[in-house]
Amino acid sequence: MDSGAEGLAQVLGLFRTRGSQTRADVIAATGMARSTVNQRLEALLSAGLLCSAGENASTGGRRAERFAFDADAGRLLVADIGASGLRTALCDLGGRVLAERTEEIPVTRGPEPVLKAVDEHFARLPLPRTGPGGGPALRGVAVSVPGPVEFEAGRAVSPPIMLGWDGFDIAGHVRRRYGVTALVDNDVNVMAFGEHRAGPPGVGHLFMLKVGTGVGSGIIADGRILRGAQGAAGDIGHLPARLEEPPSPGAEPALCRCGNVGCVEAYAGGWAFARDLFPGLADEETVNAVPEALRLLRSGDHHAIRLARRSGRILGEAVAGAVSLLNPAVVVVGGQFALTGEHVLTGIREVVYRRSLPLATRSLVIRPAALGKRSGVIGLAQQLADALFAPSGIAELLPRG
Ligand SMILES: [Zn+2]
């Protein structure tokens, strides 16, 4: 890549993070020569990525024209695939959700049926017609899945609960179908990314816990997603659970969906909550019973509340370990189970503040996801926009010649 692309990415990045700027603002922030700044602005204006944003009030001299990032210069399609449901959205280039759809579909149906459902959603979202005068073009598609992802290749790797997805080339599938930039990541990584962007600036270290049907976590360290060597970092749901009171003597440890026994998820995930709330369910029915279990919890059922609080405390033990290890400034808790009432969050807080090292919890904030159920789709759109406007991607958005 040439230094021109680097410079363009730098200038555009300024507008994306700081809002509207004058020529003089750009010169001051980048240290580039005026003539270089003029060239960059010209290129970004002619590509439609910047637009005019009025003028500064005159202070006696010439009025200074302001420019702004044009989030309407393109559209993004994103799909947040969870263990038991799917949320898709049409977003602008700033990550704003313009339209969205949801559907309950288990990821265990396999890649072909689930991605077909994604295609059907995309077809129904009001994507403007492209071409001359036809509105903003589709610039990229991003997909998240509930398992480890080999990020550069856009493939799921050895996902414990995603039957049939191992090695499936999700990014390739998307690129072939839509002919645009494709991005694939783990579902909790993108939630962490979205919550990190939505939070106050200057927070470099964030731990995101998702408690839905399953349990997973995403780690932001020094402002970046920590993926690990194989993309499996943050797989907190399959750590051994530390139980406050051991199960009755002789009882077998709970069997997990990953094939192991005694995992955090096997005691505290949404499916384990459904299993404990409705004793006698067959194993394969627990995932499908999650929506009904959450309805009961929402209605204020005392037994459901007690079980949810217990799930929170078991999760709290695992989070306390992560807090001591990673020293995040913020722990964000999301996922449909955790966001049904405050019960899971209360249980987590109770244990984390008691268990973690005092230095690690001195100013630790534990909060629910600020973006609610949209953390995933918004995080996907923002991560995709970052990839499109990185030096390696920006050249493709400029007119040729
Ligand atoms: Zn497990």
Side-chain angles (χ1 to χ4, degrees), residues 56-124:
N56 266 7
S58 173
T59 50
R62 277 176 54 198
R63 283 164 180 265
E65 189 176 7
R66 300 193 74 84
F67 304 98
F69 172 57
D70 188 356
D72 278 325
R75 292 288 180 259
L76 309 173
L77 283 169
V78 298
D80 180 14
I81 301 172
S84 54
L86 166 67
R87 179 177 292 262
T88 54
L90 174 71
C91 298
D92 70 12
L93 296 178
R96 197 161 62 94
V97 174
L98 304 173
E100 64 189 321
R101 302 180 67 86
T102 58
E103 181 181 345
E104 281 174 17
I105 176 171
V107 73
T108 46
R109 287 225 189 127
E112 306 282 355
V114 173
L115 292 172
K116 184 161 174 275
V118 168
D119 290 336
E120 283 165 11
H121 279 225
F122 284 174
R124 290 193 185 133

Side-chain angles (χ1 to χ4, degrees), residues 137-161:
L138 179 66
R139 302 285 194 180
V141 174
V143 177
S144 64
V145 292
V149 168
E150 193 187 325
F151 183 70
E152 297 299 331
R155 259 197 292 263
V157 279
S158 311
I161 59 148

Side-chain angles (χ1 to χ4, degrees), residues 160-161 237-239 255-266 271:
I161 59 148
H238 303 283
L239 292 181
L255 180 65
C256 185
R257 294 186 299 168
C258 72
N260 266 329
V261 291
C263 298
V264 169
E265 187 181 296
W271 65 266

Side-chain angles (χ1 to χ4, degrees), residues 83 108 146 159-163 213-216 235-241 252-273 275-276 283-284 286-287 314-315:
T108 46
I161 59 148
M162 294 167 61
L163 209 64
T213 300
V215 175
D235 207 1
I236 197 171
H238 303 283
L239 292 181
E252 296 288 326
L255 180 65
C256 185
R257 294 186 299 168
C258 72
N260 266 329
V261 291
C263 298
V264 169
E265 187 181 296
Y267 292 102
W271 65 266
F273 171 64
R275 176 201 62 206
D276 294 345
D283 281 353
E284 62 277 11
T286 55
V287 168
I314 292 168
L315 292 162

Side-chain angles (χ1 to χ4, degrees), residues 207-209 319 323 328-333 348 364-368:
F207 184 82
M208 172 92 219
L209 180 75
V319 173
V323 164
V330 185
V331 171
V332 181
V333 182
I348 292 171
L364 176 71
V365 174
I366 304 178
R367 63 163 173 86

